[in-house]
Amino acid sequence: MIGPEIERLIQLLSKLPGLGPRSARRAALHLMKRRDSLLVPLSESMALAAEAIRNCSVCGNLDSRDPCSVCSDHSRDRSTICVVEDAGDLWALERTRAFHGTYHVLGGTLSALQGVGPDDLNIPSLVERAKDPAVTEVILALNATVDGQTTAHVVTDRLSGSGVSVSRLAHGVPVGGELDYLDDGTLTAALKARRPL
Amino acid sequence: MIGPEIERLIQLLSKLPGLGPRSARRAALHLMKRRDSLLVPLSESMALAAEAIRNCSVCGNLDSRDPCSVCSDHSRDRSTICVVEDAGDLWALERTRAFHGTYHVLGGTLSALQGVGPDDLNIPSLVERAKDPAVTEVILALNATVDGQTTAHVVTDRLSGSGVSVSRLAHGVPVGGELDYLDDGTLTAALKARRPL
């Protein structure tokens, strides 16, 4: 005999990745016990995000500014565009502090199964951006999955003739990884791409 | 370079049980991609819960009604009060459909480490309710942990002299459980409490 308000809250929470029905109940209870310190702030933060956060009209990144804070930062190197699947990948790359160019967020990967074709992704706007003579390199930072690699091929194809050089992230042994636990594909790729010391 | 709104949303989401920093980022991204189908409804559902849900003044249950839907349901057996730690335990018992009495939610267990004493729990209101001559039995459905059992002892102590009989849930082999995987304490308790066939 759970009230309809709590029932609905649990049902919505269970749609979050990583939360099932049981952990959604625990989360709802946790929120209810921390009404002022968590439930109210989280509700307000979500309402604010829903209202303020939009996709950047240049690169597709999620931000409350448009163009986003990366695109409007004049210290970024505009000659290089790093193509990622979604904003989470952009965040991951930003955390490394190893990349100082701009991004382009495709908004997904091609998927025959899920019916995602080239026109469902932000590929045309990338081709448009690549026409700018200031842009010299496009780095494809897509997942090393079948869908990610298919997308990389299609993007490369669309960019041919635009004069930019297209590269992709290196495949190899993860830093800190043990060879014994690596899959054959990664090991083969690492061997082929060996570097002189 | 994540915007402050998203940063705050991730930080608040990571306070939910079951979500760490990484899964909170995934959840935030998931929400942002599903603005209308999930982010907005969840924000509204939380705001509604924060406003409407209160602790029942009789039993301490969480509900938008006061007295709660259990306490105000006249078909429930008012002679039996089942004492639970929090509303989540009440929900678990309600799901079994095996109990038709009323509840009393303590709001936690005694904990010397966390400085929770008898006066921090809803024990006085339970003692008050037990004085009603219509109440004949109090069932302690507390966790079989040290804190839960300490609480059970204190509650039993406070209820002595009120004339109600106090019982606790049976300890034993979980239904579907394998003996080989059971801890010694449970196995000992199950052996001692063996039932004639």
Side-chain angles (χ1 to χ4, degrees):
Chain A
M1 212 179 248
I2 308 183
E5 296 90 356
I6 304 182
E7 197 77 81
R8 178 158 167 78
L9 178 60
I10 294 173
Q11 189 240 327
L12 287 167
L13 282 171
S14 70
K15 290 187 184 170
L16 289 178
L19 291 185
R22 184 177 291 263
S23 43
R25 279 199 298 271
R26 278 181 57 216
L29 197 63
H30 188 90
L31 284 166
M32 228 81 79
K33 284 184 184 171
R34 289 158 189 81
R35 197 189 316 268
D36 296 328
S37 65
L38 190 55
L39 179 56
V40 173
L42 188 53
S43 159
E44 289 170 354
S45 167
M46 284 182 177
L48 183 66
E51 200 188 291
I53 308 295
R54 291 286 173 269
N55 288 102
C56 170
S57 57
V58 178
C59 75
N61 185 17
L62 291 165
D63 205 330
S64 53
R65 303 168 62 174
D66 187 14
C68 73
S69 43
V70 176
C71 287
S72 56
D73 179 350
H74 292 287
S75 71
R76 311 282 304 209
D77 172 13
R78 268 139 216 290
S79 69
T80 316
I81 298 175
C82 183
V83 178
V84 291
E85 185 182 322
D86 62 29
D89 299 332
L90 187 157
W91 300 343
L93 282 160
E94 282 295 281
R95 281 198 298 280
T96 66
R97 299 175 187 275
F99 179 69
H100 308 288
T102 58
Y103 292 94
H104 198 83
V105 181
L106 293 183
T109 47
L110 297 174
S111 170
L113 271 180
Q114 289 168 44
V116 182
D119 299 330
D120 300 316
L121 303 179
N122 293 331
I123 297 179
S125 55
L126 173 65
V127 175
E128 212 48 49
R129 285 179 73 190
K131 283 180 186 162
D132 184 341
V135 175
T136 55
E137 184 178 8
V138 169
I139 304 171
L140 302 179
L142 298 168
N143 291 331
T145 55
V146 172
D147 283 345
Q149 296 311 300
T150 310
T151 310
H153 278 291
V154 171
V155 171
T156 309
D157 191 56
R158 297 281 168 105
L159 288 174
S160 69
S162 64
V164 295
S165 68
V166 181
S167 59
R168 65 156 175 79
L169 296 187
H171 293 320
V173 185
V175 175
E178 294 184 42
L179 294 198
D180 201 18
Y181 290 95
L182 272 184
D183 63 294
D184 295 351
T186 305
L187 210 47
T188 308
L191 196 61
K192 277 188 186 161
R194 66 190 178 278
R195 304 273 295 268
L197 279 178
Chain B
M1 212 181 246
I2 308 185
E5 297 89 355
I6 304 182
E7 197 75 81
R8 178 158 168 77
L9 178 60
I10 294 173
Q11 189 240 326
L12 287 168
L13 282 171
S14 71
K15 291 186 182 169
L16 290 178
L19 292 185
R22 184 176 291 264
S23 44
R25 279 199 299 271
R26 277 183 57 218
L29 197 63
H30 187 91
L31 284 167
M32 229 82 78
K33 284 184 184 171
R34 290 157 188 81
R35 197 191 315 270
D36 296 327
S37 65
L38 190 54
L39 180 56
V40 173
L42 187 53
S43 158
E44 289 171 355
S45 167
M46 284 183 177
L48 183 67
E51 199 188 293
I53 308 294
R54 291 284 173 270
N55 288 101
C56 170
S57 57
V58 177
C59 74
N61 185 18
L62 291 165
D63 205 331
S64 53
R65 302 167 63 172
D66 186 14
C68 73
S69 43
V70 176
C71 287
S72 56
D73 179 351
H74 292 287
S75 72
R76 311 282 304 208
D77 171 15
R78 269 137 215 290
S79 68
T80 317
I81 299 175
C82 182
V83 177
V84 291
E85 186 182 323
D86 62 29
D89 299 332
L90 186 156
W91 300 344
L93 282 160
E94 282 296 280
R95 281 198 299 279
T96 66
R97 298 174 189 274
F99 180 68
H100 307 286
T102 59
Y103 292 94
H104 198 84
V105 181
L106 293 182
T109 47
L110 298 173
S111 169
L113 272 179
Q114 290 169 42
V116 182
D119 299 331
D120 300 316
L121 303 179
N122 293 331
I123 297 179
S125 56
L126 173 65
V127 174
E128 212 47 49
R129 283 179 75 189
K131 283 179 184 162
D132 183 341
V135 175
T136 55
E137 185 178 8
V138 169
I139 304 171
L140 302 179
L142 298 168
N143 292 330
T145 56
V146 172
D147 283 345
Q149 295 310 300
T150 310
T151 310
H153 277 292
V154 171
V155 171
T156 309
D157 192 56
R158 296 282 168 104
L159 288 174
S160 68
S162 64
V164 295
S165 68
V166 181
S167 59
R168 64 155 176 80
L169 296 187
H171 292 322
V173 185
V175 175
E178 293 184 45
L179 293 198
D180 201 18
Y181 290 95
L182 270 185
D183 63 294
D184 295 351
T186 306
L187 210 48
T188 310
L191 196 61
K192 278 189 186 160
R194 64 189 179 279
R195 303 273 295 268
L197 282 177

